[in-house]
Amino acid sequence: MPIESPAFRHSNPVVPAYRRGWVDEAVAAIEADQCRTADTHLIRLIVPALSGIDIYLKDESTHPTGSLKHRLARSLFLYALCNGHIRKGTPVVEASSGSTAVSEAYFAEMIGVPFYAVMPRTTSSEKIAAIEHYGGNCHLIDDGRALYAEAAALAARLNGHYMDQFTFAERATDWRGNNNIAESIFTQLQGERCPLPDWIVMGAGTGGTSATIGRYLRYRQYPTRLCVADVEHSAFFDCFRSQDRSHVCDRPSLIEGVGRPRCEPSFVPDVVDRMMKIPDAATIAAMNVLSRRLRRPVGGSTGTNFLALCRLASEMRQANVAGSLVTLICDSGERYRQTYYEPEWLKGRGLDPAPFEAALTSFLATGEPLALAADDVANPQSIRSPETT
């Protein structure tokens, strides 16, 4: 159903002589949704063994559609509307089988346009049901490698708009502020003991959120560094290490929301100070450990983030450095009951998180060095000279 025309909202009490009709109403509806949505919590994780190192978790699972991708979907819709790509009745198409598609379906339903998610036929029934819950259509294909091309082709056949999150994520969000996630983090840290964190840790999915954070740090001239956590079967880490964007990975990532087969256009390596490549079994282990500490389940990509954060905390501990660290809870673990939380699913994919879980549990209990190796590389352009450290 098309959205009803609300009373026109304008700072000038006099009715303006010119309006853009449906587009004005669509933008107003999305902006109103943001006004109704309180900012997500910044949770401090108390770890007595790491006294002097404050750990914060930005809980993005509390958005209306349950994940960090809610911010991205809102920005993508506003970007497309304000650039004239979406008009009344324009079908919107996205290449996504994950949380982005769920969030985009939500906003498409809000403004009354059709939504199509192009996704592999192997996508879980839970994800399909979530997209369909918001009125979205699931366009299933057999070869996941054809996701991008089929999404563009479907949009052309429908005379619609291909949202293309992997290209437009980094430019759809205002990285200078305007209540983006970076500005929100620093606003919430203002009253804390260490309001300028040593590191912010973020996984790489589209690359858009890491680009926003990295740019904001430079814009505000903060000393905080950005560490991007990548996963197995993903091209981002190798692209960063080699400074060559042509790297590809033929196998799909097992950790939803992070990891891509190519270096996506929205990934901006020059604003990243360091990258780690976290083993999938270690991701699951960190997910389990953090879920127990929070007394609620988190998703796999949150495990990737938390493992990288703990490696940084271990370095700070050994160097006797006090400070703070921030990462994200990307989504709830409720979406992964039949995968990451299912022992048979893990066994079938050769994943044994037990050794990593024991090492991480010991570190958080004792503060002793975290004996957990991972590929790790710093951006040579970001290595600070001794007089600036």
Side-chain angles (χ1 to χ4, degrees), residues 177-363:
N178 193 25
N179 196 35
N180 67 34
I181 191 168
E183 183 178 59
S184 175
I185 288 170
F186 283 95
T187 298
Q188 292 176 314
L189 283 171
Q190 284 179 355
E192 300 300 307
R193 177 173 59 176
C194 301
L196 295 178
D198 290 67
W199 291 93
I200 294 178
V201 180
M202 179 64 214
T206 62
T209 302
S210 62
T212 297
I213 294 172
R215 288 165 169 167
Y216 187 80
L217 294 176
R218 284 155 177 75
Y219 176 62
R220 300 293 302 196
Q221 303 162 54
Y222 289 146
T224 303
R225 286 169 286 175
L226 172 63
C227 176
V228 170
D230 200 18
V231 293
E232 294 183 57
H233 314 309
S234 173
F236 286 128
F237 182 85
D238 290 332
C239 292
F240 180 80
R241 177 167 55 185
S242 66
Q243 299 293 296
D244 179 359
R245 298 185 71 97
S246 68
H247 280 279
V248 295
C249 182
D250 291 333
R251 290 183 60 185
S253 168
L254 287 177
I255 311 302
E256 291 190 25
V258 287
R260 297 299 304 164
R262 67 178 189 180
C263 190
E264 300 294 353
S266 282
F267 180 60
V268 183
D270 288 344
V271 304
V272 177
D273 297 294
R274 183 172 174 180
M275 281 196 75
M276 298 183 191
K277 190 163 190 172
I278 306 301
D280 288 348
T283 279
I284 302 302
M287 177 194 77
N288 289 334
V289 170
L290 181 58
S291 294
R292 285 196 294 270
R293 284 186 166 262
L294 294 175
R295 298 179 63 84
R296 60 186 174 92
V298 299
S301 58
T302 302
T304 304
N305 291 344
F306 187 61
L307 198 286
L309 180 145
C310 286
R311 293 188 81 242
L312 293 170
S314 180
E315 291 177 6
M316 291 172 65
R317 181 71 171 175
Q318 303 321 303
N320 198 30
V321 172
S324 60
L325 300 161
V326 181
T327 193
L328 274 60
I329 298 174
C330 299
D331 62 3
S332 167
E334 295 297 337
R335 295 181 174 181
Y336 309 102
R337 289 294 187 187
Q338 297 182 29
T339 53
Y340 308 143
Y341 286 95
E342 174 51 58
E344 288 303 313
W345 188 92
L346 297 175
K347 183 178 178 182
R349 286 151 184 81
L351 297 177
D352 180 13
F356 299 102
E357 202 164 326
L360 187 54
T361 300
S362 175
F363 165 68

Side-chain angles (χ1 to χ4, degrees), residues 84-100:
H85 302 317
I86 298 177
R87 297 178 174 85
K88 185 175 183 178
T90 301
V92 174
V93 179
E94 184 60 279
S96 170
S97 60
S99 296
T100 302

Side-chain angles (χ1 to χ4, degrees), residues 22-289:
W22 181 87
V23 171
D24 286 339
E25 295 163 8
V27 170
I30 293 174
E31 292 284 89
D33 176 79
Q34 183 171 5
C35 289
R36 292 192 301 270
T37 305
D39 197 4
T40 58
H41 299 297
L42 187 67
I43 300 168
R44 184 179 172 197
L45 188 70
I46 305 299
V47 184
L50 299 179
S51 177
I53 300 174
D54 299 333
I55 295 173
Y56 299 91
L57 308 167
K58 179 74 166 160
D59 189 1
E60 295 292 286
S61 72
T62 59
H63 284 294
T65 54
S67 81
L68 168 67
K69 301 300 185 181
H70 193 86
R71 290 182 190 268
L72 172 59
R74 179 195 292 124
S75 295
L76 288 168
F77 266 88
L78 289 173
Y79 184 84
L81 286 163
C82 295
N83 277 282
H85 302 317
I86 298 177
R87 297 178 174 85
K88 185 175 183 178
T90 301
V92 174
V93 179
E94 184 60 279
S96 170
S97 60
S99 296
T100 302
V102 176
S103 298
E104 288 187 11
Y106 170 88
F107 285 107
E109 182 181 53
M110 178 182 295
I111 66 173
V113 297
F115 177 74
Y116 297 82
V118 179
M119 54 211 313
R121 200 171 299 279
T122 55
T123 300
S124 69
S125 58
E126 291 86 356
K127 285 291 175 66
I128 292 173
I131 294 165
E132 291 178 342
H133 172 76
Y134 292 115
N137 304 281
C138 298
H139 181 81
L140 305 178
I141 62 174
D142 294 316
D143 186 356
R145 293 171 296 182
L147 210 62
Y148 310 99
E150 179 57 26
L154 178 60
R157 293 198 297 271
L158 295 171
N159 193 27
H161 173 60
Y162 174 27
M163 194 70 89
D164 194 1
Q165 59 167 324
F166 300 109
T167 296
F168 294 102
E170 58 88 11
R171 67 192 72 169
T173 300
D174 185 352
W175 50 268
R176 286 162 292 196
N178 193 25
N179 196 35
N180 67 34
I181 191 168
E183 183 178 59
S184 175
I185 288 170
F186 283 95
T187 298
Q188 292 176 314
L189 283 171
Q190 284 179 355
E192 300 300 307
R193 177 173 59 176
C194 301
L196 295 178
D198 290 67
W199 291 93
I200 294 178
V201 180
M202 179 64 214
T206 62
T209 302
S210 62
T212 297
I213 294 172
R215 288 165 169 167
Y216 187 80
L217 294 176
R218 284 155 177 75
Y219 176 62
R220 300 293 302 196
Q221 303 162 54
Y222 289 146
T224 303
R225 286 169 286 175
L226 172 63
C227 176
V228 170
D230 200 18
V231 293
E232 294 183 57
H233 314 309
S234 173
F236 286 128
F237 182 85
D238 290 332
C239 292
F240 180 80
R241 177 167 55 185
S242 66
Q243 299 293 296
D244 179 359
R245 298 185 71 97
S246 68
H247 280 279
V248 295
C249 182
D250 291 333
R251 290 183 60 185
S253 168
L254 287 177
I255 311 302
E256 291 190 25
V258 287
R260 297 299 304 164
R262 67 178 189 180
C263 190
E264 300 294 353
S266 282
F267 180 60
V268 183
D270 288 344
V271 304
V272 177
D273 297 294
R274 183 172 174 180
M275 281 196 75
M276 298 183 191
K277 190 163 190 172
I278 306 301
D280 288 348
T283 279
I284 302 302
M287 177 194 77
N288 289 334
V289 170

